[in-house]
Amino acid sequence: MGKINPATKKNILIFISILLLPVVILFFFDTRLWLTARDVVPPDYYFIAKLITNWGLYLFYAIFATLFAYSLIGKHRRLTGQCLAYLKAQLIVSFAVVRILKILLGRARPGHGADFTFFSLNSDYNAFPSGHSADAFVSGVFLYYLIKQSKYPAWRFLPLIFAFCIAVSRVLVSAHYPSDVAGGMAIGIMGAWFFLYRLNDQ
């Protein structure tokens, strides 16, 4: 990757600040927002939030698995490289970085308080950041990028909307506080952007 010029560095810092600011703000209203969100979904429609939170990511995985197979069969080197970059982003950002932060920070999930128990391996205290949200936004940003380059750029925002639905579902099913989700979203967006930047800079 080439050297980053000062103007780009400044834009990156602004970009990161904009992403992290909502996390800080939401943290102070977490409990109130979670209690409100918990009662938003009527009992008869709760299954929709559960369905999205349990199975939403698999739709992204299926799409990228199909794209990867298509790129290998058709020998589309550019698409293969993009799919491999996506896989790296998921493994490094959504899996490694997120899980290390979860253990280091040890934030309690809703129903278990809102405190931090540092260096916790207990899943009840591994709330921040939301892994589903990070995973969804790595997928959503990559798919946004691929669709934007395709014949159907008008559809590029759909994966981001779906990623947002997955993230919100984590609050609705009481698996995370809003700031956990915002943190996961920020990490996912930054991680996807980083790997796409490296890909385009090669």
Side-chain angles (χ1 to χ4, degrees), residues 89-114:
Q90 286 288 22
L91 290 174
I92 295 172
V93 178
S94 300
F95 184 77
V97 173
V98 166
R99 272 146 190 81
I100 289 170
L101 287 173
K102 280 177 176 288
I103 292 169
L104 289 178
L105 297 176
R107 194 194 187 180
R109 293 184 186 273
H112 297 274

mmCIF file of all heavy atoms in Angstrom, residues 89-114:
data_model
loop_
_atom_site.group_PDB
_atom_site.id
_atom_site.type_symbol
_atom_site.label_atom_id
_atom_site.label_comp_id
_atom_site.label_asym_id
_atom_site.label_seq_id
_atom_site.Cartn_x
_atom_site.Cartn_y
_atom_site.Cartn_z
ATOM 1 N N ALA A 89 -11.189 -9.417 5.723
ATOM 2 C CA ALA A 89 -11.829 -8.418 6.587
ATOM 3 C C ALA A 89 -12.689 -9.085 7.643
ATOM 4 O O ALA A 89 -12.685 -8.675 8.816
ATOM 5 C CB ALA A 89 -12.670 -7.455 5.739
ATOM 6 N N GLN A 90 -13.410 -10.121 7.252
ATOM 7 C CA GLN A 90 -14.263 -10.822 8.218
ATOM 8 C C GLN A 90 -13.425 -11.516 9.285
ATOM 9 O O GLN A 90 -13.738 -11.438 10.481
ATOM 10 C CB GLN A 90 -15.145 -11.864 7.503
ATOM 11 C CG GLN A 90 -16.291 -11.263 6.720
ATOM 12 C CD GLN A 90 -17.392 -10.719 7.633
ATOM 13 O OE1 GLN A 90 -17.177 -10.417 8.797
ATOM 14 N NE2 GLN A 90 -18.578 -10.570 7.095
ATOM 15 N N LEU A 91 -12.378 -12.200 8.863
ATOM 16 C CA LEU A 91 -11.555 -12.941 9.819
ATOM 17 C C LEU A 91 -10.797 -12.012 10.761
ATOM 18 O O LEU A 91 -10.733 -12.258 11.975
ATOM 19 C CB LEU A 91 -10.569 -13.844 9.065
ATOM 20 C CG LEU A 91 -11.174 -15.038 8.324
ATOM 21 C CD1 LEU A 91 -10.101 -15.751 7.512
ATOM 22 C CD2 LEU A 91 -11.826 -16.006 9.303
ATOM 23 N N ILE A 92 -10.218 -10.946 10.219
ATOM 24 C CA ILE A 92 -9.386 -10.055 11.030
ATOM 25 C C ILE A 92 -10.218 -9.078 11.850
ATOM 26 O O ILE A 92 -9.984 -8.885 13.047
ATOM 27 C CB ILE A 92 -8.386 -9.290 10.148
ATOM 28 C CG1 ILE A 92 -7.393 -10.274 9.512
ATOM 29 C CG2 ILE A 92 -7.635 -8.229 10.951
ATOM 30 C CD1 ILE A 92 -6.481 -9.661 8.473
ATOM 31 N N VAL A 93 -11.222 -8.467 11.209
ATOM 32 C CA VAL A 93 -11.997 -7.420 11.877
ATOM 33 C C VAL A 93 -13.164 -8.003 12.674
ATOM 34 O O VAL A 93 -13.238 -7.856 13.888
ATOM 35 C CB VAL A 93 -12.531 -6.394 10.856
ATOM 36 C CG1 VAL A 93 -13.381 -5.337 11.546
ATOM 37 C CG2 VAL A 93 -11.376 -5.741 10.124
ATOM 38 N N SER A 94 -14.082 -8.695 11.977
ATOM 39 C CA SER A 94 -15.300 -9.170 12.628
ATOM 40 C C SER A 94 -15.034 -10.296 13.629
ATOM 41 O O SER A 94 -15.778 -10.453 14.594
ATOM 42 C CB SER A 94 -16.303 -9.665 11.582
ATOM 43 O OG SER A 94 -16.653 -8.629 10.708
ATOM 44 N N PHE A 95 -13.995 -11.076 13.364
ATOM 45 C CA PHE A 95 -13.714 -12.188 14.274
ATOM 46 C C PHE A 95 -12.652 -11.815 15.301
ATOM 47 O O PHE A 95 -12.935 -11.724 16.496
ATOM 48 C CB PHE A 95 -13.286 -13.429 13.494
ATOM 49 C CG PHE A 95 -13.076 -14.632 14.368
ATOM 50 C CD1 PHE A 95 -14.157 -15.344 14.859
ATOM 51 C CD2 PHE A 95 -11.801 -15.035 14.718
ATOM 52 C CE1 PHE A 95 -13.969 -16.441 15.679
ATOM 53 C CE2 PHE A 95 -11.598 -16.130 15.539
ATOM 54 C CZ PHE A 95 -12.685 -16.842 16.017
ATOM 55 N N ALA A 96 -11.428 -11.562 14.843
ATOM 56 C CA ALA A 96 -10.318 -11.357 15.784
ATOM 57 C C ALA A 96 -10.441 -10.064 16.586
ATOM 58 O O ALA A 96 -10.472 -10.092 17.821
ATOM 59 C CB ALA A 96 -8.998 -11.385 15.017
ATOM 60 N N VAL A 97 -10.520 -8.922 15.906
ATOM 61 C CA VAL A 97 -10.542 -7.627 16.609
ATOM 62 C C VAL A 97 -11.741 -7.528 17.546
ATOM 63 O O VAL A 97 -11.608 -7.152 18.719
ATOM 64 C CB VAL A 97 -10.551 -6.456 15.601
ATOM 65 C CG1 VAL A 97 -10.760 -5.131 16.324
ATOM 66 C CG2 VAL A 97 -9.255 -6.425 14.812
ATOM 67 N N VAL A 98 -12.920 -7.866 17.035
ATOM 68 C CA VAL A 98 -14.135 -7.752 17.844
ATOM 69 C C VAL A 98 -14.074 -8.652 19.064
ATOM 70 O O VAL A 98 -14.399 -8.231 20.183
ATOM 71 C CB VAL A 98 -15.385 -8.081 16.991
ATOM 72 C CG1 VAL A 98 -16.609 -8.298 17.878
ATOM 73 C CG2 VAL A 98 -15.661 -6.949 16.014
ATOM 74 N N ARG A 99 -13.630 -9.881 18.892
ATOM 75 C CA ARG A 99 -13.613 -10.806 20.021
ATOM 76 C C ARG A 99 -12.552 -10.442 21.048
ATOM 77 O O ARG A 99 -12.748 -10.629 22.243
ATOM 78 C CB ARG A 99 -13.442 -12.237 19.513
ATOM 79 C CG ARG A 99 -14.791 -12.855 19.190
ATOM 80 C CD ARG A 99 -14.776 -13.808 18.014
ATOM 81 N NE ARG A 99 -16.156 -14.146 17.645
ATOM 82 C CZ ARG A 99 -16.937 -13.371 16.899
ATOM 83 N NH1 ARG A 99 -16.480 -12.215 16.458
ATOM 84 N NH2 ARG A 99 -18.179 -13.737 16.604
ATOM 85 N N ILE A 100 -11.436 -9.919 20.610
ATOM 86 C CA ILE A 100 -10.424 -9.452 21.559
ATOM 87 C C ILE A 100 -10.981 -8.296 22.386
ATOM 88 O O ILE A 100 -10.824 -8.261 23.619
ATOM 89 C CB ILE A 100 -9.147 -9.020 20.808
ATOM 90 C CG1 ILE A 100 -8.427 -10.255 20.261
ATOM 91 C CG2 ILE A 100 -8.217 -8.228 21.731
ATOM 92 C CD1 ILE A 100 -7.295 -9.941 19.308
ATOM 93 N N LEU A 101 -11.661 -7.355 21.728
ATOM 94 C CA LEU A 101 -12.261 -6.229 22.456
ATOM 95 C C LEU A 101 -13.342 -6.693 23.418
ATOM 96 O O LEU A 101 -13.458 -6.180 24.536
ATOM 97 C CB LEU A 101 -12.843 -5.220 21.459
ATOM 98 C CG LEU A 101 -11.835 -4.374 20.679
ATOM 99 C CD1 LEU A 101 -12.539 -3.549 19.610
ATOM 100 C CD2 LEU A 101 -11.062 -3.457 21.628
ATOM 101 N N LYS A 102 -14.139 -7.671 23.008
ATOM 102 C CA LYS A 102 -15.192 -8.206 23.872
ATOM 103 C C LYS A 102 -14.599 -8.726 25.184
ATOM 104 O O LYS A 102 -15.095 -8.438 26.276
ATOM 105 C CB LYS A 102 -15.933 -9.355 23.160
ATOM 106 C CG LYS A 102 -16.981 -8.928 22.155
ATOM 107 C CD LYS A 102 -17.560 -10.155 21.477
ATOM 108 C CE LYS A 102 -18.693 -9.813 20.531
ATOM 109 N NZ LYS A 102 -19.918 -9.408 21.232
ATOM 110 N N ILE A 103 -13.517 -9.497 25.050
ATOM 111 C CA ILE A 103 -12.883 -10.092 26.231
ATOM 112 C C ILE A 103 -12.191 -9.027 27.076
ATOM 113 O O ILE A 103 -12.323 -9.003 28.304
ATOM 114 C CB ILE A 103 -11.883 -11.184 25.799
ATOM 115 C CG1 ILE A 103 -12.646 -12.374 25.193
ATOM 116 C CG2 ILE A 103 -11.044 -11.653 26.992
ATOM 117 C CD1 ILE A 103 -11.756 -13.385 24.494
ATOM 118 N N LEU A 104 -11.463 -8.130 26.423
ATOM 119 C CA LEU A 104 -10.727 -7.098 27.152
ATOM 120 C C LEU A 104 -11.661 -6.170 27.934
ATOM 121 O O LEU A 104 -11.411 -5.854 29.106
ATOM 122 C CB LEU A 104 -9.881 -6.265 26.186
ATOM 123 C CG LEU A 104 -8.655 -6.946 25.576
ATOM 124 C CD1 LEU A 104 -7.964 -6.001 24.606
ATOM 125 C CD2 LEU A 104 -7.676 -7.395 26.659
ATOM 126 N N LEU A 105 -12.756 -5.739 27.301
ATOM 127 C CA LEU A 105 -13.655 -4.768 27.928
ATOM 128 C C LEU A 105 -14.661 -5.419 28.863
ATOM 129 O O LEU A 105 -15.032 -4.847 29.883
ATOM 130 C CB LEU A 105 -14.384 -3.958 26.850
ATOM 131 C CG LEU A 105 -13.469 -3.116 25.957
ATOM 132 C CD1 LEU A 105 -14.286 -2.439 24.858
ATOM 133 C CD2 LEU A 105 -12.731 -2.065 26.787
ATOM 134 N N GLY A 106 -15.141 -6.599 28.511
ATOM 135 C CA GLY A 106 -16.047 -7.340 29.388
ATOM 136 C C GLY A 106 -17.314 -6.589 29.757
ATOM 137 O O GLY A 106 -17.719 -6.587 30.918
ATOM 138 N N ARG A 107 -17.952 -5.978 28.780
ATOM 139 C CA ARG A 107 -19.172 -5.232 29.086
ATOM 140 C C ARG A 107 -20.366 -6.168 29.257
ATOM 141 O O ARG A 107 -20.565 -7.092 28.474
ATOM 142 C CB ARG A 107 -19.497 -4.241 27.974
ATOM 143 C CG ARG A 107 -20.543 -3.257 28.490
ATOM 144 C CD ARG A 107 -21.202 -2.457 27.468
ATOM 145 N NE ARG A 107 -22.033 -1.463 28.132
ATOM 146 C CZ ARG A 107 -22.775 -0.581 27.519
ATOM 147 N NH1 ARG A 107 -22.793 -0.551 26.210
ATOM 148 N NH2 ARG A 107 -23.499 0.277 28.188
ATOM 149 N N ALA A 108 -21.179 -5.900 30.284
ATOM 150 C CA ALA A 108 -22.351 -6.730 30.553
ATOM 151 C C ALA A 108 -23.410 -6.533 29.478
ATOM 152 O O ALA A 108 -23.585 -5.444 28.946
ATOM 153 C CB ALA A 108 -22.931 -6.387 31.919
ATOM 154 N N ARG A 109 -24.137 -7.602 29.163
ATOM 155 C CA ARG A 109 -25.259 -7.521 28.243
ATOM 156 C C ARG A 109 -26.495 -7.027 28.985
ATOM 157 O O ARG A 109 -26.536 -7.066 30.229
ATOM 158 C CB ARG A 109 -25.540 -8.891 27.631
ATOM 159 C CG ARG A 109 -24.441 -9.408 26.716
ATOM 160 C CD ARG A 109 -24.829 -10.733 26.075
ATOM 161 N NE ARG A 109 -23.716 -11.292 25.311
ATOM 162 C CZ ARG A 109 -23.451 -11.000 24.039
ATOM 163 N NH1 ARG A 109 -24.228 -10.160 23.386
ATOM 164 N NH2 ARG A 109 -22.431 -11.550 23.422
ATOM 165 N N PRO A 110 -27.502 -6.556 28.243
ATOM 166 C CA PRO A 110 -28.755 -6.141 28.892
ATOM 167 C C PRO A 110 -29.308 -7.259 29.774
ATOM 168 O O PRO A 110 -29.284 -8.426 29.406
ATOM 169 C CB PRO A 110 -29.689 -5.878 27.699
ATOM 170 C CG PRO A 110 -28.769 -5.474 26.600
ATOM 171 C CD PRO A 110 -27.541 -6.315 26.780
ATOM 172 N N GLY A 111 -29.785 -6.875 30.934
ATOM 173 C CA GLY A 111 -30.274 -7.856 31.891
ATOM 174 C C GLY A 111 -29.212 -8.312 32.867
ATOM 175 O O GLY A 111 -29.495 -8.990 33.853
ATOM 176 N N HIS A 112 -27.960 -7.942 32.591
ATOM 177 C CA HIS A 112 -26.848 -8.306 33.478
ATOM 178 C C HIS A 112 -26.130 -7.063 33.989
ATOM 179 O O HIS A 112 -25.013 -7.161 34.500
ATOM 180 C CB HIS A 112 -25.855 -9.206 32.733
ATOM 181 C CG HIS A 112 -26.420 -10.510 32.308
ATOM 182 N ND1 HIS A 112 -26.456 -11.620 33.126
ATOM 183 C CD2 HIS A 112 -27.026 -10.886 31.149
ATOM 184 C CE1 HIS A 112 -27.029 -12.622 32.491
ATOM 185 N NE2 HIS A 112 -27.379 -12.204 31.281
ATOM 186 N N GLY A 113 -26.784 -5.908 33.837
ATOM 187 C CA GLY A 113 -26.179 -4.655 34.253
ATOM 188 C C GLY A 113 -25.662 -3.889 33.048
ATOM 189 O O GLY A 113 -25.977 -4.215 31.909
ATOM 190 N N ALA A 114 -24.847 -2.881 33.315
ATOM 191 C CA ALA A 114 -24.251 -2.102 32.221
ATOM 192 C C ALA A 114 -22.791 -1.807 32.517
ATOM 193 O O ALA A 114 -22.197 -0.910 31.929
ATOM 194 C CB ALA A 114 -25.033 -0.803 32.027
#
